[in-house]
Amino acid sequence: MAAKKVKDKAISGLVAENRRARYDYEILDTIEAGIMLQGTEVKSLRNGKAQITESYATPENGEIWLINAHIPEYLQANRFNHNERRKRKLLLSKKEMNRLMGAVERHGNTIVPLKLYFNDRGMAKVLIALAKGKQSHDKRQTERDRDWARQKSRVMKEHG
């Protein structure tokens, strides 16, 4: 149900995208989550230099944390800057947290961030996905499907 809400919303103010996640993982469900940031992190995000390609989310002590997301230092902040790769708490409802934690513990799924963006109200949000890792033969099938779709569109374009 949460996935439909996110699909209907137009994602504006895109800061970072994890395009590799859709290749490495089979996406089961997506959820929009808030993220707890310091002031210099928000200013740095507005510059658009963040990276979430190597990051993941993990449940710890009844909360879900975003690990290894790189938000570079804000150059004008001098000594009040933040740590670039610190753990950041994700803001979710208790029901969503319990569902994600249960899926990770019981089924061995992973929580990966797909997009980091600012919504219409200017709040920093993370689109996270409950995902299952693909094996190498699944990845090859994904490549074949993508190549076939590309060839099909070329043929349709040429022959109208």
Side-chain angles (χ1 to χ4, degrees):
M1 181 156 174
K4 289 183 181 179
K5 277 196 285 186
V6 172
K7 287 180 184 177
D8 293 342
K9 258 187 172 177
I11 295 177
S12 61
L14 186 65
V15 177
E17 186 174 13
N18 189 357
R19 296 176 65 194
R20 181 101 182 143
R22 295 196 185 273
Y23 178 75
D24 289 335
Y25 298 98
E26 177 187 344
I27 306 300
L28 304 175
D29 191 17
T30 58
I31 298 172
E32 181 183 56
I35 183 169
M36 267 181 113
L37 298 172
Q38 295 177 350
T40 56
E41 290 174 324
V42 175
K43 287 189 171 276
S44 182
L45 282 179
R46 296 228 183 255
N47 290 338
K49 302 287 186 195
Q51 294 179 357
I52 57 171
T53 52
E54 299 170 356
S55 63
Y56 60 96
T58 182
E60 293 176 11
N61 302 327
E63 298 172 336
I64 297 185
W65 295 84
L66 183 65
I67 311 267
N68 208 21
H70 181 261
I71 299 176
E73 288 184 345
Y74 184 62
L75 298 177
Q76 288 81 10
N78 60 35
R79 65 181 181 169
F80 301 109
N81 245 322
H82 60 275
N83 186 2
E84 293 181 351
R85 291 200 184 266
R86 74 176 186 90
K87 291 187 345 182
R88 294 168 180 94
K89 184 177 173 182
L90 294 180
L91 306 172
L92 294 162
S93 69
K94 199 64 135 171
K95 183 179 176 183
E96 289 174 334
M97 274 195 278
N98 289 335
R99 190 170 59 85
L100 287 173
M101 286 189 264
V104 168
E105 291 171 8
R106 274 183 263 127
H107 305 294
N109 294 333
T110 307
I111 305 170
V112 292
L114 298 177
K115 294 180 182 182
L116 180 61
Y117 59 94
F118 287 101
N119 67 1
D120 297 335
R121 293 178 46 208
M123 305 290 229
K125 299 288 183 177
V126 179
L127 182 65
I128 58 173
L130 185 62
K132 186 175 185 178
K134 286 185 183 178
Q135 294 180 348
S136 60
H137 60 85
D138 294 332
K139 292 179 186 179
R140 287 193 295 269
Q141 183 63 39
T142 303
E143 287 178 9
R144 279 190 218 109
D145 293 343
R146 194 175 350 160
D147 290 343
W148 170 242
R150 198 175 299 132
Q151 287 175 358
K152 190 168 53 171
S153 66
R154 283 184 192 142
V155 169
M156 293 299 285
K157 184 178 177 183
E158 290 173 3
H159 298 291

